[in-house]
Amino acid sequence: QQPVQSPQAVILREGEDAVINCSSSKALYSVHWYRQKHGEAPVFLMILLKGGEQKGHDKISASFNEKKQQSSLYLTASQLSYSGTYFCGTERSGAQKLVFGQGTRLTINP
Amino acid sequence: GAGVSQSPRYKVAKRGQDVALRCDPISGHVSLFWYQQALGQGPEFLTYFQNEAQLDKSGLPSDRFFAERPEGSVSTLKIQRTQQEDSAVYLCASSLMSGNTEAFFGQGTRLTVV
C-alpha cells in the first residue's frame, strides 16, 4: 500500500518554512526520506526507525510517530537548493524494499 | 566506483524489441534494488538482490521482466518484447547492508518504447 504524501506541491519564498507529511495505513518499521531534482537520482536525506525518534541535520529534520504511522519532514529557513521533489519511502518489518509515496514538489523562489 | 552507475542513460526501443539495462552498484554493497519510475510518480519497487540471490521479485510486472546479478556485483534488468507501457525511468539502488540503511540511487535509464 503506497503511503500518502501531503501536500502534493508547495511554493515558498526563500527563508520560509515547510512541512511535508507522509501517512501509511500499514504498520511501519522505518521511514526513509529522499529528494529528487529533475532528471537526477533521488538523494538520501534521512532514515527514521520506529520508536518515535526525531532526526535532523542542518535545517532539515523529521519525526516518526509509529502509533499514527506518520512521518513529517520539516524544512526551516528554506534555501534555493531545497527545491525538488521529496519522497517518503516506507519499509515494513523484514521487507527490505521501500514503498514510495507519490512525492511532494517543493519550489523555492528568491 | 564513486557511485551507482547505470547504462545506457537513454534507450529508445521499438515495440516488441528486447532491451537490457545495466547497473554497476557501489563496490562492496550487498543489497541491490531495481525500481521503475513513471513520469511524475514515485519509484515503484521491482526486485531486490542480496549479493547474487534474488530475494524478492514481487514487483516485476510480468514474466517479460527478468533480472540477474550472477556474481553479486553488476546487475542486469532485461525486458523482453517491450510494450509502450514499459516506457519509464528504471532506477537502480545499492546499499551496504540489508535493511534500515541508506540506499544510493543511480541516475537511471530512461526507456522509451515507440
Side-chain angles (χ1 to χ4, degrees):
Chain A
Q1 196 93 18
Q2 185 182 38
V4 177
Q5 288 186 232
S6 62
Q8 289 190 334
V10 185
I11 300 175
L12 297 176
R13 287 190 180 275
E14 198 174 3
E16 293 182 334
D17 302 341
V19 180
I20 300 171
N21 300 302
C22 174
S23 296
S24 175
S25 59
K26 303 285 187 181
L28 299 177
Y29 187 62
S30 65
V31 179
H32 304 223
W33 284 97
Y34 286 82
R35 176 173 60 214
Q36 185 178 32
K37 295 184 181 283
H38 184 69
E40 298 182 8
V43 173
F44 172 82
L45 296 175
M46 63 189 75
I47 294 175
L48 298 107
L49 304 178
K50 67 176 183 178
E53 68 173 300
Q54 185 151 354
K55 274 190 157 182
H57 58 84
D58 204 7
K59 293 174 182 170
I60 301 176
S61 61
S63 63
F64 177 27
N65 185 326
E66 69 178 281
K67 286 185 180 178
K68 294 185 177 180
Q69 308 304 334
Q70 288 179 351
S71 178
S72 295
L73 186 72
Y74 308 94
L75 301 103
T76 57
S78 58
Q79 305 169 15
L80 294 176
S81 61
Y82 288 1
S83 291
T85 301
Y86 289 77
F87 293 100
C88 66
T90 56
E91 182 181 7
R92 300 182 64 192
S93 182
Q96 310 299 339
K97 66 185 180 187
L98 293 178
V99 180
F100 286 94
Q102 80 279 21
T104 296
R105 185 175 219 161
L106 178 65
T107 303
I108 310 293
N109 292 320
Chain B
V4 178
S5 177
Q6 292 188 244
S7 60
R9 284 293 313 278
Y10 304 92
K11 177 69 180 178
V12 178
K14 290 186 177 179
R15 193 170 52 182
Q17 189 178 356
D18 297 349
V19 297
L21 312 180
R22 178 187 168 104
C23 173
D24 275 276
I26 294 173
S27 178
H29 277 198
V30 167
S31 297
L32 186 145
F33 303 83
W34 283 98
Y35 289 87
Q36 180 189 60
Q37 187 173 28
L39 191 64
Q41 300 295 314
E44 283 195 27
F45 171 80
L46 293 176
T47 187
Y48 160 65
F49 290 87
Q50 186 172 314
N51 295 309
E52 70 278 2
Q54 189 175 21
L55 298 185
D56 187 344
K57 54 182 180 179
S58 62
L60 296 177
S62 76
D63 58 8
R64 297 186 296 104
F65 286 70
F66 172 76
E68 60 182 6
R69 193 186 185 197
E71 296 177 359
S73 177
V74 171
S75 177
T76 304
L77 176 66
K78 297 179 180 177
I79 309 173
Q80 296 177 323
R81 305 181 303 282
T82 53
Q83 300 177 6
Q84 281 193 312
E85 60 262 31
D86 299 336
S87 295
V89 175
Y90 291 85
L91 293 167
C92 175
S94 70
S95 61
L96 187 58
M97 299 179 295
S98 57
N100 296 327
T101 56
E102 174 182 0
F104 295 83
F105 279 83
Q107 288 192 290
T109 294
R110 181 179 294 278
L111 173 65
T112 304
V113 182
V114 298

